[in-house]
Amino acid sequence: MVLNLPLWATDCLRRAEPSLSPDLPLVLYEKNKGAMRLVALDALAAHAGLRAEQSLAEARAQLPTVQAREIDRSWTSAVFADFADWHSWASPLVAVLEDMTAYGDLVLDITGVSHLFGGEEAMLERVTGRLAAMGITVFGAIAPSIGAAWAISHHGRESRILAPDEVSAALSGLPVSALRLNGEQVAGLAQMGLKSIGQLYQRPRKPLQARFGVSLLTRLDQALGHVSERMTPRLPPAERFAERRFAEPIGLMDDVLAAAHDLAIRLGHDLEREGVAAHSFHLFIYRVDHKVLSLSVNAGRATRDPSHITRLFAHRSERLEGGYDPGFGIDMIRLAASSVDTLDETQMGVFETRDGASDLDRLYDRMTARLGALAVVRSIFVDTHVPERAIKLAPAVSGETNSVLPNTGLVRPLRLLPSPEPISVVAAVPDGPPAAMVWRRVRYGFVKASGPERIGAEWWRAHRRLDLLAPLDAGKTDRDDKPEQMPLLPNLEPFDSAAATRDYYVAEDDGGRRFWLFRLGLFVPGADPQWYLHGVFS
Amino acid sequence: MTTRTQTATLDALRQTIARIERRPSLKDTTTNSENVAGALPVPSGVMHEVFTDATRNGGATLGFALAQARHLLTPQRPALIYIHLLRDSQEFGLPYAAGLARFGFSPEEVLLARTATITELLWAAEEALACQAVAAVIAEIRGAPKQFDFTASRRLSMRAASAGASLFVMRYGTGREASAAGFRWHLTPERSAAMPFDAKAPGAPRWLARLEKGVLDGRVNGQWLLEWREHGLLECVSPFGGAAEHAAADRRSTLHGSEPAALGDGLSQTG
C-alpha cells in the first residue's frame, strides 16, 4: 500500500498551529541563496495558481491574503519520522519513499495483514479515513508492486485497489512520469512522443536502455511487478509480538501496564511454544494523534516470564517521570521481543539446589530498568598496572565476566577516587615519603608511611598523541552535500611516559586514617614535585 | 516455681516483642555468636547505622561494613550490593575491586549501584534487600536528607528482617535522628597494627567501634577495638578500659614529633 501525502508539510503545520486561518491559503518558503522560494503549498494556494519554486514576493503580489511561514526542516522531518512510525499500527513494515519527495510517500507492506481489518478495501478506507479525519490530504493505493501503487496514488487522484491482472491495463493510460523517473528522462520520452506508459510496453528495450539508462527499464519492470523492489522498513520488523487495539482510547499508565501484562502472557505462550526466550522487550504505545512512544527493557538472562516482563516495564515507566504524555489517548499497544535465544523448558527438580543466581539476575534487571543501564555496574579487571584503568565498570546486565585474575599481593586501597586530587605535601627528603599533606583544606600529619611502589606509564604509548576514533556511521552519506567538517583537534602534547610515572605511598596519619598518594613524574633535583591523593584505605 | 513461671512469662513477652518488632529476639542474638566467625556476633537480617564524624573516615566505615558483611556471604546468598549517589563518587571514592579482592571479595559478588536521587537510593536498597540471594546491602547517605526519615528507616529495617539480609547505612556527621536501625555504631579509625618486619609501615587497619544503640553480646553501649585481617575481624583487647590503654600504648610506640624525618632515612623497601 502506498500513501501519497501531497500536502503533508502544510497539513502538519496547520495541525500544530491552530491559530492559522483555515480559509486562507498557506505556503512554506525557504531561504536559498538570499531568495525566498516557496517549497510547499496547500490546496488553496495551489488552486489560486501559485507554484513551488516561485519567489515569496511574487506569490504575495499574486495573492495578497497568503499566509507564509518559513519551513523548519528539522522539526518537519522529526514529525514526519514519528508519523511514519505511527503507521506501524496498521502494518509492521513501514518505509518512507524519499527518492521523489522529501515528505510525501509512505509504503506499507500489507501482505498477510489486511484480513485483520476485514479485507483490503476496508483497510484502505480505515487508513485513509483516519488521516482524512485529522485533516491530512491523502491518496492511497493498494497494488501488487510498489511502483504500481505509487503511480496510481499519485496520478489516479483517488484511492484505488489494483488486482494483479489489472496492473498493466491500469498503468497504460498513465503518463510516463508516474514511473518515478527523473526530469530528463521524462523530457526525453516526451521528445520521442512517448507520453503514456502503455506506449512503452511494445517498444524494443535495447534502444530505450541505450538512451535513457537502465533505470527506466528497472522502473517499468518494478511497476509491472516483473522485478521485485526492496523496501527498507523504518522500524526493524519484530518477528514475535503481541498487540491489542482498544475500542476506546486509554490514557493512564496503569491501564497501559495492565494491558502489557496481558500481552506479556500471550507473548510468553508464543515464545514457550517455540522453545525460545528473549533478552529484550519493546513496548510500542500508539497515540491517537500519530505519535509512538516506545519503551525498551533488557533482561540479563533470557526470559519469557510474563510477570517479570511486566515488572520491568513498570520500573522502566517510573523512570519516564514527566516524559509520559498520552495526548488524546492511546488506541493500540504492541509488545515485541527481540534478541531471541533458545530456552528449553526446565523442570523444577526435587534435588534442585537453590543458588539464588536467577533471583540475582532478576534483581539486576529490575534495578537496571528503573535506574538505567549504566547505574547498575560490576567491576571487571583489566590487564594493566595503571590503577584507574585496572578496573572498569560494566553494566550488570551485559553479562561480561572477568577473564583476568587480580594480583592480590599488591597493596590497593578500598576506595579509589575516580580522578586523583592534587594535594600539597611536605616531605622530609625531596624524593622520600610524605610527612604531611593538605587535602580538601585539612592538614594531615603522617606517622607511618611505606613505599614507594613505582607504577610506570605504558611505554608503548610514549610519543603518541591522543587518537580520534573515526565515527561509526562513516558509511552513511549525508543528504545535504556539506563538505565533511574535520573535528577540532586539540593541540595536546605527545604522551610522555617518563613524566607520567607515579610513585605511590601508603601513609597513615595520627588519627589512623590511611591514604594512598602518589608523586607524579620521576624525581628531578630542584623541581617542585606534584602530589596527588588517589585513594583511601579502610 | 515462681521464678520458673516468671522466666517463662518473660520469654513469652520477649517473643511477642520480637514478633512485633520483626527482629530476632535478644536471646537469639547471643546464641548466634558461635556460628558467626569473627569478633562481633552480629545476627543477620538487621539494619545497622554506621556513623563516623567526617566523610574523610569513609574508608574506615566501608571497611567495617564489609568486614561484617563478609560473614554473611553464603553459597545461597552470594551477593553484596553497594549503593551510593552518583554525585558522591568523587567525594568518597568508588569501592575499588583490586582492594576488595585483598579482603576476599570477588568482583562478581560486589555490585555497585549509582542512583541520581535519595528516593531512588532508598528504593534500590529496599528492592535489593527483598532479593533472596543478597547477603548484605551497603548504602551511603551523606548528611541528613529529608527522605530518609524514621518511616523510611523503619520500612528498610522491616524489609531486612523479613528477607534476612543485612543493611548497613553509612552516615556521616555528629547529628543523630530517630531511626529504626537495630544497631547504631559510632566508628573512629585507630592507629594501625604494627607491620611485622617494618615498624614504620602501616599495618592491618584498626577501628574503635562504639555501640550507641542496640544490645550485642549482652552489653549495652559496648566498645570494641577491632582489627581487620585478611581472614576476618579480630578483637584486639576486649573491654573498654583495655582498649583505651592499648590504643595509648600503641600511640606511644609509634613515631611522633620529629620522627617523620627519621622515616625518610630508613626508607622501607618492602613497599
Side-chain angles (χ1 to χ4, degrees), chain A residues 189-329:
Chain A
L189 286 169
Q191 264 184 354
M192 287 172 70
L194 299 171
K195 294 249 166 64
S196 69
I197 299 175
Q199 290 171 309
L200 294 177
Y201 291 167
Q202 303 306 325
R203 300 291 296 193
R205 296 171 67 90
K206 283 236 170 84
L208 280 180
Q209 180 175 352
R211 176 144 184 199
F212 299 105
V214 74
S215 70
L216 169 66
L217 295 176
T218 317
R219 289 300 191 197
L220 184 62
D221 288 344
Q222 280 174 350
L224 295 173
H226 300 321
V227 174
S228 70
E229 183 175 353
R230 281 176 61 93
M231 59 182 275
T232 41
R234 282 188 48 82
L235 297 174
E239 280 177 41
R240 297 169 179 85
F241 64 89
E243 62 188 30
R244 165 173 282 190
R245 289 158 210 273
F246 304 108
E248 281 286 310
I250 59 169
L252 295 176
M253 194 69 214
D254 289 348
D255 295 343
V256 173
L257 290 174
H261 184 65
D262 290 352
L263 293 183
I265 293 172
R266 269 165 52 195
L267 188 63
H269 280 304
D270 289 351
L271 293 176
E272 194 174 356
R273 206 175 305 125
E274 288 182 65
V276 294
H279 283 285
S280 324
F281 294 91
H282 315 277
L283 187 67
F284 299 101
I285 300 171
Y286 293 85
R287 283 168 42 172
V288 176
D289 49 344
H290 67 77
K291 284 252 164 50
V292 192
L293 181 68
S294 68
L295 298 179
S296 295
V297 294
N298 292 304
R301 180 180 288 209
T303 182
R304 58 181 173 228
D305 177 2
S307 57
H308 183 54
I309 299 168
T310 322
R311 204 174 312 156
L312 291 185
F313 277 114
H315 291 315
R316 177 66 186 82
S317 70
E318 275 179 57
R319 196 148 55 91
L320 280 175
E321 290 168 358
Y324 173 68
D325 172 22
F328 295 105

Side-chain angles (χ1 to χ4, degrees), chain B residues 70-125:
Chain B
R70 170 97 179 275
H71 303 305
L72 304 172
L73 294 177
T74 55
Q76 282 78 39
R77 288 179 175 271
L80 176 72
I81 295 184
Y82 172 89
I83 311 172
H84 69 128
L85 284 182
L86 191 56
R87 58 168 181 267
D88 286 345
S89 18
Q90 181 68 30
E91 174 75 23
F92 294 114
L94 292 171
Y96 188 49
L100 294 174
R102 202 174 154 76
F103 288 99
F105 290 96
S106 80
E108 281 84 24
E109 289 163 349
V110 185
L111 186 91
L112 311 184
R114 311 179 272 186
T115 66
T117 61
I118 283 284
T119 319
E120 280 184 352
L121 186 143
L122 295 174
W123 173 85

Side-chain angles (χ1 to χ4, degrees), chain A residues 378-445:
Chain A
R378 186 186 276 149
S379 311
I380 304 285
F381 287 106
V382 180
D383 214 352
T384 172
H385 288 293
V386 183
E388 63 268 30
R389 289 205 285 116
I391 304 290
K392 71 171 178 182
L393 299 174
V397 286
S398 70
E400 204 169 331
T401 49
N402 268 302
S403 51
V404 181
L405 281 178
N407 181 356
T408 49
L410 297 172
V411 181
R412 287 290 176 267
L414 210 53
R415 288 177 187 266
L416 191 81
L417 299 178
S419 55
E421 293 183 11
I423 49 174
S424 57
V425 161
V426 181
V429 261
D431 57 346
M437 72 162 178
V438 178
W439 174 49
R440 291 179 184 168
R441 298 195 292 278
V442 180
R443 189 180 184 279
Y444 299 85

Side-chain angles (χ1 to χ4, degrees), chain A residues 500-518:
Chain A
T501 301
R502 301 168 180 179
D503 283 344
Y504 277 91
Y505 291 90
V506 182
E508 181 178 330
D509 81 338
D510 47 10
R513 287 174 278 267
R514 281 161 299 276
F515 300 100
W516 206 40
L517 22 101
F518 68 86

Side-chain angles (χ1 to χ4, degrees), chain B residues 227-242:
Chain B
E227 187 175 311
W228 194 22
R229 296 286 177 91
E230 264 113 88
H231 48 266
L233 267 184
L234 208 76
E235 187 173 1
C236 299
V237 186
S238 37
F240 170 54

